Amino acid sequence: MPLLYSRSEGVGRMTFDFPQKKNALDQDARKEMERIVTEVRDDDRVRALLIGGTGGAFCAGGDINTFAGSTPVAMRNRMKQQHRVTRMLHDLEKPVIAAVAGPAFGVGFNIALLADVILAAPSARFCQAYARVAIVPDGGGLYLLSRVVGTQRAKAMFMTAQVIGAQEARDLGIVHAIHDEDALEPEASALAARLAEGPTRAFGLGKAMLNRGMDCDLATYLEIEATAEAFIMQTEDHREAVASFREKRQPRFGGT
């Protein structure tokens, strides 16, 4: 399989695993990613998702060789399939962490942008590489990137196919933290485990509020906030948090 998936102690791990192509996505990989993300979404035992890559690469984008000879209908269907994954990751009401080493180019960059937290090794490189093959960004790239770096910088990064390193990505707010190559996976795993042990229903609702709030007015956002607050205060997570606070102990989340 072009992707690996495992689950342990509340953390699902999706790993791009075709290093001979720097983990560039072909159609089989895209379909497998959709299957995995669907499983993560529907499995209540999974409370956080960690995305990474093998062979010193995160994901070098789409496999250009698979585009040759595609009809407009076939290409549109391919994009619609990718967009299902984009929507699921964007809307996933569970924490998502991306551990990026090496290239995160094209759609690989955009998959990383769908994470809630990006951790990077010093070797990480990010690029909206589409101009190099005269196509527009896919996977929601410009939508996602512009919300992090602003519209003008996002357009420039697309048009120049600018490659940025880990430190510049952190300066721009894309990357949360940089860890040594050997420390990246343990640090990312530890963060995923910590978030999985946390109030993931509150995390998920907070994500949904933030995502919806980017495209609505304040009055609409405040109504979303009120509805979310009314719901979350009826959950077992909230009751456990209050009880642990009163009892001066660590909370134990994982209820409904």
Side-chain angles (χ1 to χ4, degrees), residues 144-206:
L144 298 165
L145 184 61
S146 64
R147 282 159 171 74
V148 179
V149 303
T151 56
Q152 291 301 107
R153 191 181 295 273
K155 287 186 287 187
M157 289 175 67
F158 158 52
M159 292 179 184
T160 64
Q162 176 187 5
V163 178
I164 62 173
Q167 186 57 56
E168 185 174 1
R170 186 179 183 188
D171 293 342
L172 290 170
I174 296 168
V175 164
H176 175 67
I178 300 171
H179 299 286
D180 290 340
E181 304 288 335
D182 292 342
L184 177 62
E185 198 283 331
E187 291 285 350
S189 294
L191 176 60
R194 178 159 65 87
L195 294 178
E197 292 173 354
T200 54
R201 291 193 180 278
F203 293 158
L205 277 177

Side-chain angles (χ1 to χ4, degrees), residues 45-178:
R45 297 170 298 177
V46 178
R47 295 171 59 84
L49 173 64
L50 175 59
I51 306 174
T54 62
F58 181 74
C59 173
D63 185 348
I64 298 301
N65 294 324
T66 65
F67 295 172
S70 290
T71 66
V73 170
M75 182 58 76
R76 186 170 185 270
N77 287 339
R78 184 182 0 248
M79 288 299 96
K80 286 173 71 68
Q81 191 274 333
Q82 177 66 53
H83 293 162
R84 289 195 295 272
V85 176
T86 298
R87 288 296 300 270
M88 280 194 291
L89 280 173
H90 183 263
D91 295 341
L92 187 65
E93 293 190 1
K94 302 176 182 184
V96 181
I97 300 92
V100 179
F105 281 21
V107 75
F109 187 0
N110 300 334
I111 291 168
L113 287 170
L114 287 163
D116 305 307
V117 181
I118 301 175
L119 303 182
S123 65
R125 293 174 292 130
F126 300 87
C127 180
Q128 294 287 333
Y130 300 92
R132 298 180 181 183
V133 289
I135 59 176
V136 298
D138 61 359
L142 289 178
Y143 178 96
L144 298 165
L145 184 61
S146 64
R147 282 159 171 74
V148 179
V149 303
T151 56
Q152 291 301 107
R153 191 181 295 273
K155 287 186 287 187
M157 289 175 67
F158 158 52
M159 292 179 184
T160 64
Q162 176 187 5
V163 178
I164 62 173
Q167 186 57 56
E168 185 174 1
R170 186 179 183 188
D171 293 342
L172 290 170
I174 296 168
V175 164
H176 175 67
I178 300 171

Side-chain angles (χ1 to χ4, degrees), residues 202-250:
F203 293 158
L205 277 177
K207 285 175 59 173
M209 289 162 56
L210 181 59
N211 289 339
R212 301 301 178 266
M214 296 294 291
D215 298 309
C216 69
D217 58 34
L218 178 60
T220 302
Y221 175 80
L222 292 176
E223 184 59 34
I224 294 170
E225 183 180 275
T227 302
E229 194 80 347
F231 170 79
I232 201 66
M233 292 183 71
Q234 304 306 312
T235 64
E236 184 60 35
D237 275 2
H238 173 69
R239 288 190 285 271
E240 168 61 16
V242 172
S244 65
F245 177 80
R246 289 172 174 167
E247 297 165 12
K248 296 181 172 55
R249 60 172 174 80
Q250 289 295 315

